[in-house]
Amino acid sequence: MTVTLRPAGLEDTDQLVQLETECFGVEAWTVAMIEDEITGPYRAYLVAQAPDGTVLGYGGVFMGLDSAEIMTLAVATAARGQGLGRQLLDALIAEARQAGILQVMLEVAVDLEPAIGLYLSAGFENVGLRRNYYQPSGRDAHVMRLALTADPAVPR
Ligand SMILES: CC(C)(COP(=O)(O)OP(=O)(O)OC[C@H]1O[C@@H](n2cnc3c(N)ncnc32)[C@H](O)[C@@H]1OP(=O)(O)O)[C@@H](O)C(=O)NCCC(=O)NCCS
């Protein structure tokens, strides 16, 4: 299947709410949180869209001054295992690199093994643990970091 990556917009909100609920259950972002995030400054949110317009996945990155943060990443259950998560993550990292940022951080719940596998395979390292980070579950979060090398071919 051909999937297109494109910037997320408010027209995607309904599909993103469904995706959030499917992927994160009671810890899903609310409509207001989704809308604030996809329209907020210093952020890049991308959706992976099927040819029929269905949003199969999405992810976002917040760009700080010298550090970026992966805010979320989710792929619909039926579309997993086909490389979409990696495509989205690579595109978010590319956004950070293009902004001249040299490190990408993220938090991931300690029981999300597919996500941890994806981040490790993308070069992220485990650099810390945040106790009781997610609510209401109380799950702990790994803190992970990817160091980017400056690419002289990319304008800073
Ligand atoms: C994490 C998630 C986005 C991965 O999406 P995906 O499209 O299935 O991932 P991909 O097919 O691109 O897989 C890329 C890599 O992730 C890792 N991975 C994927 N599924 C995995 C699994 N079940 N177990 C371990 N590693 C896995 C592998 O390293 C894989 O590379 P490989 O195919 O070369 O082995 C998806 O499982 C998801 O949405 N999970 C629920 C939400 C979530 O946990 N989000 C992260 C919040 S921080």
Side-chain angles (χ1 to χ4, degrees):
M1 179 182 17
T2 311
V3 169
T4 307
L5 295 197
R6 62 160 175 83
L10 288 177
E11 69 279 9
D12 298 314
T13 302
D14 288 349
Q15 291 200 74
L16 295 183
V17 169
Q18 281 184 25
L19 192 58
E20 277 277 328
T21 304
E22 179 185 330
C23 293
F24 301 114
V26 293
E27 291 174 350
W29 285 355
T30 62
V31 171
M33 290 163 79
I34 291 170
E35 290 184 345
D36 282 353
E37 279 295 319
I38 64 180
T39 59
Y42 311 117
R43 288 154 169 81
Y45 273 79
L46 301 173
V47 299
Q49 179 181 291
D52 68 357
T54 307
V55 171
L56 299 175
Y58 94 121
V61 60
F62 171 80
M63 251 83 71
L65 281 180
D66 56 4
S67 184
E69 174 91 14
I70 301 292
M71 302 298 288
T72 193
L73 182 68
V75 171
T77 314
R80 289 181 192 164
Q82 301 172 53
L84 284 189
R86 189 183 298 284
Q87 271 188 63
L88 281 163
L89 179 63
D90 286 349
L92 297 176
I93 293 168
E95 294 276 352
R97 195 192 295 277
Q98 278 169 15
I101 288 169
L102 293 181
Q103 74 168 359
V104 182
M105 306 294 298
L106 61 82
E107 286 88 23
V108 56
V110 294
D111 59 348
L112 293 182
E113 287 170 20
I116 293 166
L118 169 60
Y119 298 137
L120 288 173
S121 75
F124 281 83
E125 293 175 318
N126 212 329
V127 294
L129 185 73
R130 295 207 167 133
R131 293 264 181 227
N132 209 29
Y133 185 76
Y134 294 97
Q135 300 304 323
S137 67
R139 289 177 301 168
D140 299 340
H142 292 300
V143 182
M144 303 187 82
R145 174 179 184 269
L146 174 70
L148 301 178
T149 50
D151 180 352
V154 176
R156 298 286 301 272

